[in-house]
Amino acid sequence: MTGVTRNKTLLLSLLFMGLGHIILFKQFAKGILFALCHIAFFIFVPTIIRNFYGLYTLGHPQPELHILDRDNSLFLLMDGMLTIAFLALFLGVYVLSVRSALKLQKEYENTGRLPTAKNFFSELATGSFPVIALLPTVLLILFFVVVPLIFAASVAFTNYSAPHNIPPNNVVDWVGFDNFRFMFGGNAMWAGALGRVIAWTLAWAALATFTCYVGGFIMAIVLTNAKMKIIPFFRAILILPYAVPGVISLMVWSNMLNGAFGVINRSLIQLGIISTGIPWLTDVWLARFMTVAINLWVGFPYFMLLITGTMTAISEDVFEAARIDGATLFQITKKITLPLVLYQTAPLIIMSFNHNINNFGAIFFLTGGGPTMPDSTTTFAGGTEIMISWIYKLTVDMQQFHYAAVLAVMIFVALAPFAVFNFMRTKSFKEGEL
């Protein structure tokens, strides 16, 4: 076995998976497993080639065939994505086989002895067990999370839209970055709608997060420092908006704020306070204000509970020392409570901001994205429209899937860094051994 060199091991392992294990190290079990993976790849080569061709062309028009027998571009696109995932998985196993053979060669150089089958099964039960245990989860994430995400992003580079490119009656074509150019200035009306929706989405997310946090913080301070025996009763009352499903609350508020027959306008008119109904949800700026206000009513109990729980972890000795030094409640809140609470809840504020950017229900069930704007007939973007609700309208109402996919890609690019940053700051990530 003096001829077992690194170059020889690398060459045999690259030529065919498991070949180095079988010929050089006599590890037949591991070598056969790797070889079977390589053989399976060769069996599926014709299917891989066919799927890649379908991914490249997305089908051909076949008007002479029955609609069910024609090329379905969406199926071809999905088959191509699954093939790419399969190849990525195969390449991962290939790399694993080469690294395994090189590891065996290094052990042989150090000890001068070949690893036995007993060593293989011992390693399988110890060192390789975490990989084997996590493999089903990795496969599920790959095929049910990653592949659908890539599929959705790929639609942004096609002309998948009504009325001329809806499968299976018609085929879909690749158009490159044409959709992005169209949305970002190729059409003045769509570019204006996009700018308006992005600006309001960011403003909405910031205002919704800020107001709910401040409202929850103030109520937590009040309930914590109030010297009343019925404080638990008030706390239970304040939690009710959070306990009731948000969809129900928002739809009730939508009916109450209706400009024509809403109970609020009718009550104000009956009391003689106003003579005509207030356009709560039909005036753009008033509708935006009401979305933030109603979201505050629905969302502040979450932060109230969170901050109350955080405040209980602060030692009472700190507050007692501040009172002895003559600090007022406002000074204690500003110098002690707020910094400590912010330190503990800052990651959750970031998560809440990300959530509000995609808070479809708060907009859709209250205003429906309205009121209408001058370009709403063409773009379907209303005055309180945020990105996620606009995506819903573009897909369900307009069937402009390619433009909706562009917006989805924009949301992912904007939010993914926040999510990764927030996760990397958690203790579970910093202290975990990967």
Side-chain angles (χ1 to χ4, degrees):
M1 296 297 295
T2 55
V4 180
T5 63
R6 177 180 175 83
N7 291 336
K8 188 174 182 179
T9 302
L10 182 61
L11 178 61
L12 289 175
S13 300
L14 290 175
L15 285 175
F16 202 92
M17 290 173 58
L19 195 59
H21 295 81
I22 296 173
I23 295 178
L24 299 178
F25 305 109
K26 311 304 179 184
Q27 285 209 346
F28 298 104
K30 182 185 288 188
I32 290 173
L33 286 175
F34 283 129
L36 288 175
C37 294
H38 208 147
I39 292 171
F41 170 77
F42 283 121
I43 293 174
F44 286 102
V45 164
T47 303
I48 293 172
I49 295 174
R50 183 173 65 252
N51 289 346
F52 269 118
Y53 179 75
L55 180 64
Y56 174 74
T57 63
L58 294 181
H60 301 283
Q62 299 168 313
E64 71 280 0
L65 298 179
H66 187 273
I67 190 170
L68 297 179
D69 297 327
R70 300 175 188 176
D71 289 339
N72 191 311
S73 299
L74 296 184
F75 292 168
L76 294 175
L77 180 59
M78 179 55 74
D79 289 342
M81 295 301 161
L82 291 173
T83 302
I84 293 175
F86 171 76
L87 287 178
L89 191 63
F90 172 75
L91 289 175
V93 176
Y94 213 133
V95 171
L96 184 64
S97 70
V98 174
R99 293 182 61 182
S100 175
L102 293 176
K103 181 180 179 181
L104 292 174
Q105 190 273 334
K106 186 175 182 180
E107 291 179 1
Y108 174 73
E109 280 188 354
N110 294 334
T111 62
R113 296 191 305 271
L114 289 175
T116 63
K118 182 179 180 181
N119 298 131
F120 165 65
F121 289 108
S122 175
E123 180 188 354
L124 193 66
T126 55
S128 301
F129 178 76
V131 176
I132 297 173
L134 290 173
L135 183 60
T137 303
V138 172
L139 292 177
L140 289 173
I141 292 175
L142 177 63
F143 288 102
F144 291 98
V145 177
V146 177
V147 169
L149 284 176
I150 297 176
F151 174 85
S154 300
V155 173
F157 301 92
T158 69
N159 59 357
Y160 178 31
S161 60
H164 303 298
N165 299 101
I166 297 293
N169 190 45
N170 305 104
V171 296
V172 174
D173 301 309
W174 293 108
V175 296
F177 287 92
D178 288 354
N179 297 327
F180 291 87
R181 284 191 286 266
F182 181 86
M183 295 287 287
F184 283 94
N187 183 287
M189 186 174 294
W190 281 85
L194 177 63
R196 183 183 74 246
V197 172
I198 291 177
W200 167 239
T201 299
L202 295 176
W204 149 258
L207 289 171
T209 304
F210 176 78
T211 54
C212 287
Y213 188 86
V214 172
F217 182 82
I218 292 174
M219 294 310 303
I221 293 294
V222 171
L223 294 177
T224 302
N225 291 277
K227 305 300 181 182
M228 298 173 62
K229 293 184 179 180
I230 58 173
I231 286 300
F233 171 76
F234 283 108
R235 185 179 287 115
I237 293 296
L238 293 173
I239 291 173
L240 285 178
Y242 185 67
V244 176
V247 174
I248 297 176
S249 298
L250 292 168
M251 294 183 71
V252 169
W253 274 107
S254 179
N255 288 322
M256 291 174 62
L257 294 171
N258 186 279
F261 55 82
V263 65
I264 294 178
N265 274 346
R266 292 177 61 184
S267 299
L268 293 176
I269 292 173
Q270 290 291 330
L271 294 173
I273 299 176
I274 58 176
S275 58
T276 59
I278 299 174
W280 299 108
L281 303 179
T282 53
D283 177 78
V284 174
W285 291 105
L286 189 55
R288 290 175 177 176
F289 173 80
M290 294 309 301
T291 57
V292 176
I294 301 303
N295 183 74
L296 169 63
W297 181 80
V298 173
F300 87 89
Y302 167 75
F303 279 112
M304 182 188 73
L305 293 174
L306 180 68
I307 293 171
T308 302
T310 303
M311 290 174 60
T312 58
I314 304 175
S315 176
E316 184 62 29
D317 296 339
V318 178
F319 298 115
E320 188 63 29
R323 295 189 193 98
I324 292 174
D325 290 339
T328 63
L329 177 61
F330 177 77
Q331 291 173 326
I332 293 174
T333 302
K334 179 181 178 181
K335 299 294 184 179
I336 299 176
T337 307
L338 182 59
L340 292 176
V341 169
L342 276 176
Y343 177 78
Q344 295 294 331
T345 58
L348 296 174
I349 295 175
I350 298 174
M351 290 178 62
S352 180
F353 178 80
N354 291 346
H355 165 74
N356 283 316
I357 285 182
N358 286 321
N359 196 347
F360 172 80
I363 299 297
F364 185 79
F365 293 109
L366 183 62
T367 66
T372 57
M373 301 292 287
D375 57 17
S376 295
T377 304
T378 302
T379 64
F380 270 50
T384 59
E385 210 79 70
I386 60 175
M387 295 285 281
I388 191 66
S389 63
W390 196 18
I391 290 174
Y392 174 84
K393 288 185 178 180
L394 287 173
T395 53
V396 176
D397 297 333
M398 298 183 67
Q399 292 190 316
Q400 300 296 306
F401 301 101
H402 55 334
Y403 295 150
V406 171
L407 299 180
V409 170
M410 292 173 57
I411 292 177
F412 177 79
V413 171
L415 294 187
F418 284 100
V420 172
F421 173 77
N422 192 39
F423 173 70
M424 291 178 65
R425 288 180 61 86
T426 60
K427 291 184 178 180
S428 59
F429 177 82
K430 292 180 180 180
E431 298 176 1
E433 295 182 1
L434 301 178

